[in-house]
Amino acid sequence: MTDADLIAGIRSGDPRAERTLYDRHVDRLYRLAHRMTGDETLARDFTQDAFVRAFERIGDFRGDASLATWLHAIAVNVILNGLKKVTRIRRREEGMDELPDVMDARRTAEPDLKHRLHAAIAALPDGYRMVFVMHDVEGYTHEEIAASLGIQPGTSKAQLFRARGKLREALAEFAGEWAS
Amino acid sequence: MTDDERFEQFLRDTAADYELPASEIPRDPMWDAIRARRAASTPTLGAPAFASQVPHLAHRRTMRWAWIGMAATLLLGVAVGRYAWRHEAAPSVAGLPQLATPQTPAPQLVSPTSSVSAAPVAPATSLARPDNGSTLASARTTTYSLVAARHLANVEALLTSYAVSGVETRSDSMFGAWAKDLLSNTRLLMDSPAARDPVRARLLSDLEVILVQLVQRSPGHDAEERSAVERTLQKTQLIPRLRSAVPASARTGTD
């Protein structure tokens, strides 16, 4: 089915069109949600939310971007807003004034470089982490990231650069490991 | 491979399994949940079936008029542009925007048609009256190239000033304001025929990144942000590339 067929089918309520769209994109969206949340339940919830929202709003799809880009923009929005809510709830429950920042990753006793990197990625602000995960981990292009986040590709590049800079600072004591 | 490239490769390799789902993706359970939610939100038989369609119909009517309006505006713009090109002289350099300095705001890029209307006719140097497609296209390309050269000279001035400034001066908000003006012109050029040249397109793309970094600097993270800007300048070699891309005449404003 072409994108045009899918859109027409979904708009007319054809369940096969809906399932086709779902099958084409669920893996990538679920992986992104899981990488951003680190939690299977949240990843499932956000993935489901994204598709429900997409089916409800298919009438708003204007064709400015591809159907895939439009769907991913909805998913990214769901994930980022969902993370904000989760963070607020966790702060209230744990009485934390602020979440650990990337510098805390440097102060942990975990010697393993890979674990330290993963901790540093988890400690990145959500926006930087989204760009980093989308580009360096999941292989999205800057154009795809920009369309999903509603920014310019140049801004995506700049944010990726800063994200990498923060990770580099967090791994400063391991400088040279990647030279070998 | 530079150290930055090795670090980037290290990141990609080491982060490949970052928060990767441990088990198979639960496609069918998620689909069942989605269908259940859709069914729960679908209107029942008792409700007026057409009510849910009315917003769509109204939306479609509104969109139709919006499209008609946009199409009319576009046709008007094309007609005005073609009339202007046929009846005005070709652009001369004297009509191009002047160089910007931090004290004066960078001029907004103008279309060749508006600069043409203000430009004096220079019989010895003007291009032939555009009476065929190739001459017209050539004139437009020349104009965009000249505007791009002037803009690149402005950006070179900013980056050179930044590079030679002391640490205290680099934190000055003046650079952010200057960069903001240049950023919007850079983006306009990226979408213009000036970016058809692949070398210039790559240069503009790299300039966009560093201008965004300068614009986005915040007061509390100056040292880190200065370091990021300096790393970008070093990695992309922007200043030397600008120097080779900008002709001397564009820097001095003479032709």
Side-chain angles (χ1 to χ4, degrees):
Chain A
M1 263 190 212
T2 63
D3 276 3
D5 293 335
L6 276 180
I7 294 159
I10 294 167
R11 280 180 177 158
S12 65
D14 182 355
R16 289 171 303 174
E18 291 181 353
R19 182 74 203 227
T20 302
L21 180 71
Y22 174 80
D23 287 336
R24 278 186 193 174
H25 298 286
V26 64
D27 286 8
R28 207 176 186 204
L29 291 187
Y30 178 82
R31 244 187 357 255
L32 181 63
H34 198 284
R35 289 195 192 270
M36 285 300 296
T37 60
D39 182 285
E40 186 182 330
T41 306
L42 284 174
R44 287 171 70 146
D45 286 346
F46 291 165
T47 304
Q48 284 158 202
D49 285 348
F51 277 102
V52 167
R53 212 176 275 198
F55 293 141
E56 283 170 356
R57 292 182 185 177
I58 197 71
D60 296 342
F61 178 69
R62 291 189 297 275
D64 299 339
S66 71
L67 188 55
T69 300
W70 179 78
L71 176 60
H72 281 246
I74 291 175
V76 164
N77 194 262
V78 163
I79 293 167
L80 287 175
N81 286 335
L83 280 172
K84 280 186 202 154
K85 279 188 198 152
V86 165
T87 304
R88 274 201 300 272
I89 292 166
R90 281 180 184 163
R91 277 193 178 136
R92 275 204 300 270
E93 286 173 354
E94 295 170 24
M96 293 164 65
D97 289 328
E98 57 184 70
L99 291 176
D101 62 22
V102 65
M103 294 304 139
D104 285 354
R106 198 166 55 194
R107 291 193 286 270
T108 60
E110 177 54 64
D112 184 80
L113 177 55
K114 185 174 190 175
H115 282 104
R116 188 73 68 87
L117 172 62
H118 285 200
I121 295 169
L124 285 172
D126 289 345
Y128 289 155
R129 186 153 50 92
M130 178 65 85
V131 175
F132 175 78
V133 166
M134 286 181 87
H135 186 274
D136 280 4
V137 182
E138 283 288 317
Y140 287 71
T141 63
H142 283 294
E143 286 68 30
E144 288 171 322
I145 296 169
S148 297
L149 292 173
I151 59 176
Q152 297 277 350
T155 306
S156 170
K157 290 177 194 170
Q159 294 199 336
L160 177 65
F161 196 83
R162 291 192 61 180
R164 286 174 178 165
K166 283 182 175 287
L167 294 174
R168 197 168 190 144
E169 282 184 48
L171 301 176
E173 65 191 86
F174 293 98
E177 285 279 340
W178 43 85
S180 54
Chain B
M1 218 188 230
T2 64
D3 189 54
D4 277 349
E5 285 164 345
R6 279 193 289 272
F7 181 66
E8 286 161 27
Q9 188 62 51
F10 157 77
L11 284 179
R12 281 192 286 272
D13 294 342
T14 313
D17 58 354
Y18 171 74
E19 299 293 6
L20 195 60
S23 53
E24 205 176 298
I25 294 173
R27 293 185 195 89
D28 288 335
M30 284 197 292
W31 177 248
D32 291 339
I34 290 166
R35 292 286 291 163
R37 282 170 66 177
R38 300 265 291 142
S41 64
T42 300
T44 61
L45 282 173
F50 68 88
S52 64
Q53 293 181 38
V54 168
H56 292 295
L57 287 174
H59 177 73
R60 232 177 273 152
R61 268 199 298 275
T62 307
M63 287 308 296
R64 192 181 304 140
W65 281 111
W67 280 116
I68 289 170
M70 280 188 266
T73 306
L74 182 64
L75 281 171
L76 186 63
V78 167
V80 167
R82 291 179 76 173
Y83 177 85
W85 273 108
R86 283 205 193 97
H87 292 90
E88 295 287 350
S92 78
V93 173
L96 289 168
Q98 298 303 303
L99 286 174
T101 65
Q103 286 75 36
T104 62
Q108 291 301 307
L109 283 182
V110 294
S111 71
T113 51
S114 54
S115 67
V116 160
S117 61
V121 175
T125 59
S126 67
L127 297 174
R129 189 184 178 86
D131 55 5
N132 60 62
S134 60
T135 308
L136 183 66
S138 173
R140 286 166 69 95
T141 303
T142 303
T143 305
Y144 277 112
S145 293
L146 289 166
V147 171
R150 289 291 178 88
H151 173 70
L152 293 177
N154 291 339
V155 180
E156 187 198 341
L158 162 68
L159 295 181
T160 306
S161 301
Y162 182 89
V164 302
S165 298
V167 168
E168 290 288 322
T169 314
R170 285 183 186 184
S171 304
D172 198 303
S173 58
M174 165 195 82
F175 284 111
W178 194 359
K180 194 172 177 183
D181 284 338
L182 293 173
L183 178 60
S184 46
N185 283 351
T186 301
R187 285 175 170 160
L188 282 170
L189 278 170
M190 285 169 78
D191 289 335
S192 77
R196 281 188 197 140
D197 174 67
V199 172
R200 189 184 293 140
R202 270 197 305 277
L203 179 57
L204 289 169
S205 175
D206 289 344
L207 288 177
E208 188 194 15
V209 173
I210 198 158
L211 290 172
V212 167
Q213 286 179 322
L214 285 169
V215 167
Q216 286 186 337
R217 287 183 317 167
S218 54
H221 295 89
D222 271 342
E224 183 187 307
E225 284 164 349
R226 271 201 309 274
S227 166
V229 171
E230 280 145 32
R231 274 204 305 276
T232 305
L233 274 177
Q234 203 177 21
K235 182 182 173 183
T236 56
Q237 293 290 294
L238 273 172
I239 296 175
R241 283 163 71 194
L242 282 167
R243 282 182 187 148
S244 61
V246 178
S249 56
R251 275 199 207 95
T252 59
T254 59
D255 302 296

